[in-house]
Amino acid sequence: MKQGLFTIIDNSRIAPDVYRMILEGDTSAVTAPGQFVNIRLDGLFLRRPISVCDCVQNKLALVYKVVGRGTAQMAAMSRGSLDVLTGLGNGYSLEKAGRRPLLVGGGAGVPPLYMLCRKLAEQGAEPRVILGFNTAAEVFYENEFAALGAEVTVTTVDGSRGVKGFAADAMAGMDYTYFYTCGPEPMLRAVDRAAVTSGQLSFEERMGCGFGACMGCTCRTKYGNKRICRDGPVLEREEIIW
């Protein structure tokens, strides 16, 4: 974990209520896809945890959805600097991916899969990606994943774009060597039920401190209680107790 000031380079809306913020600063603590940062915002007691979408050299890309006071404050920023804790959480491991990994993301769970997809492609894998949304208007990063060489499937609950249904519904009949997923817990449960291989799941939890001190995001696993912010957010499929 490292604390530092980051300069806002860009902050643009990419979908309804979804923004991409580019920050410049010391990114040396970001070592794996799936990690997150914790941002201090004026007037708010708790920092806001945001997953890392991508990290290249000294720049961080954060893709976030406006859901409350903190993210609304972030969306209004066009310049300035932010106090950021980086290198938080345990991210995805690429070692078990195999030749044809499957990445499944739902809504706000899509961004951390982008850096993972890039890293997998760079090591020679051929990732397949399922992106799940409610409607066509909410779809984002489809082209960005495709630009990495991934085979992308989009699902929408209302059928207005791609496959009609939920992200896990598109997994049926797919051939893959391992899976990675991030999204709301109902989606993670559905992916777990549909999966035919081992995999890694990234959990979303309300966090107080963001680095394991407050014990506010503890969950039960087969190996005892684990803190999502420190021992996760990525957990192995085999250790999860639903």
Side-chain angles (χ1 to χ4, degrees):
M1 179 181 70
K2 182 173 288 190
Q3 182 177 4
L5 287 178
F6 280 72
T7 302
I8 300 172
I9 302 300
D10 185 57
N11 191 29
S12 306
R13 190 176 70 169
I14 60 173
D17 296 326
V18 178
Y19 289 76
R20 176 173 53 210
M21 178 180 283
I22 307 298
L23 299 174
E24 186 175 46
D26 182 358
T27 62
S28 59
V30 181
T31 59
Q35 289 182 304
F36 64 96
V37 300
N38 231 356
I39 301 174
R40 181 182 296 280
L41 297 169
D42 292 341
L44 300 178
F45 178 69
L46 295 177
R47 290 176 178 264
R48 266 34 183 191
I50 305 290
S51 59
V52 174
C53 177
D54 202 10
C55 178
V56 179
Q57 296 180 344
N58 64 337
K59 290 185 174 63
L60 282 178
L62 308 178
V63 174
Y64 61 96
K65 184 174 183 178
V66 176
V67 294
R69 290 176 59 197
T71 46
Q73 186 173 326
M74 289 176 59
M77 297 176 177
S78 59
R79 62 177 64 87
S81 60
L82 288 173
D83 181 328
V84 183
L85 295 177
T86 59
L88 297 173
N90 287 315
Y92 294 106
S93 170
L94 282 63
E95 295 179 356
K96 301 179 182 179
R99 181 69 177 176
R100 192 75 162 164
L102 175 64
L103 285 58
V104 186
V110 167
L113 296 180
Y114 178 79
M115 182 175 172
L116 172 64
C117 186
R118 179 174 65 79
K119 294 284 189 180
L120 289 168
E122 288 173 354
Q123 72 176 23
E126 299 174 359
R128 305 182 72 168
V129 178
I130 300 174
L131 307 177
F133 303 92
N134 289 317
T135 69
E138 298 179 3
V139 176
F140 65 89
Y141 260 56
E142 176 185 4
N143 293 334
E144 285 80 355
F145 278 99
L148 296 176
E151 179 183 323
V152 182
T153 299
V154 170
T155 70
T156 52
V157 176
D158 65 1
S160 56
R161 180 111 171 242
V163 177
K164 182 174 182 176
F166 297 98
D169 297 334
M171 295 173 63
M174 280 193 174
D175 179 30
Y176 51 95
T177 53
Y178 195 76
F179 78 87
Y180 299 91
T181 186
C182 182
E185 187 169 318
M187 191 206 82
L188 299 185
R189 288 176 178 267
V191 169
D192 181 71
R193 288 193 299 267
V196 295
T197 69
S198 182
Q200 298 171 33
L201 301 89
S202 181
F203 285 78
E204 300 173 355
E205 284 286 344
R206 290 185 177 273
M207 298 177 186
C209 66
F211 48 83
C214 71
M215 306 297 289
C217 59
T218 303
C219 69
R220 292 171 58 238
T221 76
K222 294 178 181 178
Y223 309 111
N225 292 334
K226 288 193 172 184
R227 297 158 294 182
I228 290 299
C229 69
R230 187 172 180 87
D231 306 310
V234 177
L235 299 176
E236 296 277 349
R237 181 187 189 188
E238 289 75 17
E239 68 182 300
I240 297 168
I241 296 177
W242 294 108

